[in-house]
């Protein structure tokens, strides 16, 4: 038997208890031993819940109990999670976490401590919920140089964009549904402003390139500026709008990373990733293209990944699973040099003077129309640099929206 302690009895923490209860026997077989939850740490009370007998409010009880071999941190947020996780590792306990804020900020340091102490620090659930992506990057794709990772990494925004498109529902109603279903972050700005996806692509990039990618360096744009009119145009073009989190190793060996809404068509492998699902497309220089798809948020899918990490730790007691993530910072390429096609909507009627102005600024463009939309002019540019679009934005009054296009 192996004793674990679960920090946080919220959506994921209660999911972990449920998964261990539902699949306890098969999990024990796979781990080679029974997994016993000795403590659950939470500030709240849960009257009537059988976990009450394991509930503690003082982390020191867990830290100082030598019988606890694995700490499962599912509280979220950087503090006090970071202090608890670091103390647990320094006290000889392996840690499993679903906490992307913690991993994005302190992953390299915590991995180093785990390595030094012959312990493990595993975080499969921190990106893509239940989808295996951390372990594939660390173990299955190690023969490759990763040249691109593009993911739909936030379930809440994918759910919102999908529903806006399928049901013509408005933003606030769909966000409320996502919150009710337990997908959204406590502060939904983290989802809709792209910060959650940003931390996740920072983690994947750090693993793929073996160096620290700081999330603060990643250009991040959320979905709050996407309107039902943009969705109408996308539909008219046979396209969908997705929040893409991307990192690419360019021909010049430099890496750029960004989070931004992207219009894609059916020929893109992530086109079929809808609702709360996540999808992660990875391109390696030898394997070519691979895709990972599944539930990117929610209680049980996320808990499934957490418990699978617990099983892995139980199988590797006193043996560190080597993960390359140096604390040396990877300097990202300035995205101003990156090229995209852009979909642009401008106020006004499509008369010769407006068209000539646009031609002067962009060269030849492709006009786009959508049923029921008038009083504006919409078009697709050819491939242009990000820095050019920034300059043009300053010189073209009446821009209603600008969305990157991948077709
Ligand atoms: N708020 C996150 C999402 C939860 O919607 O994807 C999973 O990290």
């Amino acid at each position: 038997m192996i004793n674990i302690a679960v920090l946080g009895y919220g959506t994921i923490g209660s999911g972990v208890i449920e998964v261990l209860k539902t699949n306890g026997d098969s999990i024990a077989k796979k781990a080679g031993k029974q997994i016993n939850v000795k403590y659950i740490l939470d500030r709240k009370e849960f009257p009537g819940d059988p976990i009450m007998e394991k509930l503690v409010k003082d982390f020191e009880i867990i830290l100082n109990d030598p019988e606890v071999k694995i700490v499962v941190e599912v509280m979220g947020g950087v503090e006090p999670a970071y202090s608890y996780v670091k103390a647990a590792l320094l006290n000889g306990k392996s840690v499993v976490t679903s906490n992307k804020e913690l991993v994005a900020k302190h992953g390299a340091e915590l991995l180093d401590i785990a390595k030094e102490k012959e312990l493990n620090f595993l975080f499969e659930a921190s990106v893509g919920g239940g989808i295996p992506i951390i372990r594939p990057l660390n173990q299955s794709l190690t023969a490759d140089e990763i040249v691109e990772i593009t993911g739909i990494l936030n379930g809440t925004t994918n759910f919102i964009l999908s529903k806006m498109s399928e049901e013509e529902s408005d933003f606030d109603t769909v966000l409320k549904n996502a919150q009710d279903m337990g997908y959204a972050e406590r502060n939904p700005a983290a989802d809709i402003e792209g910060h959650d996806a940003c931390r996740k692509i920072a983690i994947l990039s750090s693993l793929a390139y073996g160096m620290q990618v700081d999330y603060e360096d990643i250009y991040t744009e959320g979905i709050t500026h996407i309107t039902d009119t943009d969705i109408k145009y996308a539909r008219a073009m046979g396209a969908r709008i997705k929040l893409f989190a991307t990192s690419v190793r360019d021909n010049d060996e430099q890496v750029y990373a960004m989070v931004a809404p992207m219009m894609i068509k059916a020929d893109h492998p992530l086109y079929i990733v809808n609702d709360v699902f996540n999808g992660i497309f990875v391109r390696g220089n030898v394997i070519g293209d691979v895709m990972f798809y599944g539930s990117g948020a929610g209680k049980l899918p996320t808990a499934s990944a957490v418990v699978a990490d617990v099983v892995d730790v139980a199988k590797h007691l006193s043996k560190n699973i080597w993960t390359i993530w140096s604390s040396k910072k990877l300097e990202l390429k300035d995205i101003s040099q990156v090229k995209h096609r852009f979909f642009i909507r401008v106020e006004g009627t499509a008369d010769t003077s407006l068209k000539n102005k646009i031609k002067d600024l962009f060269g030849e463009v492709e006009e786009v129309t959508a049923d029921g939309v008038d009083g504006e002019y919409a078009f697709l540019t050819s491939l242009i640099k990000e820095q050019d679009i920034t300059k043009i934005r300053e010189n073209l009054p009446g821009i209603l929206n600008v969305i990157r296009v991948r077709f």
Side-chain angles (χ1 to χ4, degrees), residues 344-347 362 392-394 396-402:
I344 302 179
R345 293 170 42 222
V346 193
E347 257 171 7
F362 295 96
I392 288 168
R393 266 178 189 275
E394 286 157 17
L396 185 63
I399 291 186
L400 295 166
N401 215 348
V402 176

Side-chain angles (χ1 to χ4, degrees), residues 100 126 153-157 183-185 191 196 200 278 296-298 302:
K100 57 244 157 174
S126 65
L153 297 178
N154 182 268
T156 301
T157 46
Y183 303 149
E185 296 300 303
D191 295 299
D196 177 75
K200 290 169 177 168
N278 282 194
T302 310

